[in-house]
Amino acid sequence: MAPTRCPGCPDGMKGPGKYLCLGCWSTLPMAARRLLNRRDSHAMARLQELYRQVTAGVPLAEIHITS
Ligand SMILES: [Zn+2]
């Protein structure tokens, strides 16, 4: 699979299976990264939470994952 566009920045590319490019990912709060790294039955809900906030213009450093 080829890299795809990162949803968190204008021209970043993210690797297959990654949620964001490395630059965006390292900007997320540690708590959010820890939750997003979990791959369980709530993983998709967390990903949707992340992308919803990114789309709404929430700064990456202020993203909160609750599920
Ligand atoms: Zn990015």
Side-chain angles (χ1 to χ4, degrees), residues 48-63:
Q48 282 166 356
E49 254 192 278
L50 168 67
Y51 284 173
R52 200 181 314 128
Q53 290 172 75
V54 167
T55 306
V58 176
L60 289 168
E62 293 170 24
I63 295 233

Side-chain angles (χ1 to χ4, degrees), residues 5-14 20-25 60:
R5 229 179 58 81
C6 169
C9 58
D11 39 36
M13 299 294 281
K14 64 182 183 62
L20 296 168
C21 73
L22 208 60
C24 289
W25 181 254
L60 289 168

